[in-house]
Amino acid sequence: MNESRISSYGKVMIALAVIFCAGQAVGYLWAARLSPQASSNNKVDWSERWAADTLNALRSQLDLTDKQAGAIELRLRETGESIQQERQRALFQIHLNILDFHSEIEGDLTEEQIVKLNESREKLKHRMQREFPEIMKNKG
């Protein structure tokens, strides 16, 4: 019985540590998004900046002509937008994984811990609605 109790406490401690680390990761992403360098058009700014920087690097590395650079520029912008969309989907999936984890550990928690976990879960769901409105709308 004593080993079982220690094992249960160990599981709870590991679960709480994972929740804490997940919260830290999400908090870091959130803070990075709200930093002074981040603008309200962060998605567009990032993909445009990436396309411009990549085009400059390609011009330098490959000695592109103006005609070649012009032909490549549109495809770079499209690729940047695609990368940004994939990044958003990946971040959304990370949030879903955290919610799944919350569900998995409920059986190891006390009622008081479950109440706190549910509060955390609701905050995460609200953050997901703010951060990923397009994806949430498509998920249904």
Side-chain angles (χ1 to χ4, degrees), residues 75-88:
R75 286 181 275 178
L76 275 172
R77 290 182 189 278
E78 291 170 351
T79 300
E81 291 170 10
S82 176
I83 290 169
Q84 182 61 26
Q85 289 172 354
E86 290 300 317
R87 179 180 172 269
Q88 287 299 103

Side-chain angles (χ1 to χ4, degrees), residues 5 9 19 30-31 39 47 57 75 81 95 98 113 120 122 125 138:
R5 179 176 270 169
Y9 286 130
I19 292 169
W30 180 254
S39 71
S47 62
R75 286 181 275 178
E81 291 170 10
H95 286 74
I98 294 168
Q113 291 169 325
S120 175
E122 288 306 310
K125 286 179 181 179
N138 292 338

